[in-house]
Amino acid sequence: MRSHFTFAAVALILYAPTRAFATGAEPPTDPQADPAPCVAAVAAGDADRILALCGALIDNEKTLKPDRIKALIARAGVYVRGDQIDRAIADYDTVLRLDPTLADIFNARGELWRKKGDRPRALADFGAALKLNPQHEAARANYKSLALELERLGAQMAIKNRPSPPLK
């Protein structure tokens, strides 16, 4: 589970888009939110600053979609480390509404659903990750282990609920 948080932090830092600014004397008519403070907080690994600075970036209506996604992923990572699973799932839900092609996020959210005990949602997310990226090793391993667990549970329930054979 830790690998997707490392990926998110690296992605946030490395892929922060560069901005082009006008060189004229007029200020820009629609200034965009600056992701730099959030990126710096992620680079420093400072959970409190990530929550504050990335949260402000997420809430700013002028934040570009890619920056909002990166900030949501960073904040979700803090929530996971703080065992605030529902908040992390909510951030991943928002990320996937903004970009439903992120296999890593489906896998990460699936891990959280599994941790909460919601196996059907977890299996669906692992399956979605594999549909987007059939080579996603973590999603493949998660899907396989959960499918085997569900199969084992189903067999145990069938045995438990089977009527006893008549006594002779």
Side-chain angles (χ1 to χ4, degrees), residues 5-134:
F5 299 121
T6 303
F7 167 79
V10 170
L12 186 65
I13 293 167
L14 294 179
Y15 299 110
T18 57
R19 306 269 194 276
F21 294 99
T23 57
E26 294 181 24
T29 57
D30 190 16
Q32 296 169 350
D34 182 12
C38 174
V39 171
V42 171
D46 186 335
D48 292 334
R49 287 182 59 224
I50 290 171
L51 291 177
L53 298 172
C54 295
L57 190 65
I58 292 164
D59 294 338
N60 187 326
E61 65 187 38
K62 295 179 182 178
T63 301
L64 296 175
K65 185 167 112 174
D67 293 333
R68 185 180 312 273
I69 288 170
K70 293 169 194 165
L72 283 159
I73 292 169
R75 187 172 73 178
V78 171
Y79 288 150
V80 169
R81 287 187 295 281
D83 206 29
Q84 296 180 45
I85 303 306
D86 291 328
R87 285 181 159 190
I89 288 172
D91 276 356
Y92 287 149
D93 288 345
T94 304
V95 168
L96 291 170
R97 275 193 299 279
L98 294 169
D99 186 352
T101 66
L102 299 173
D104 286 330
I105 302 306
F106 274 108
N107 184 63
R109 189 177 69 177
E111 289 174 345
L112 296 176
W113 284 124
R114 188 175 192 178
K115 185 174 183 175
K116 281 188 68 157
D118 192 333
R119 293 179 184 103
R121 283 185 176 173
L123 195 64
D125 276 355
F126 297 146
L130 287 171
K131 186 174 181 181
L132 290 167
N133 179 3

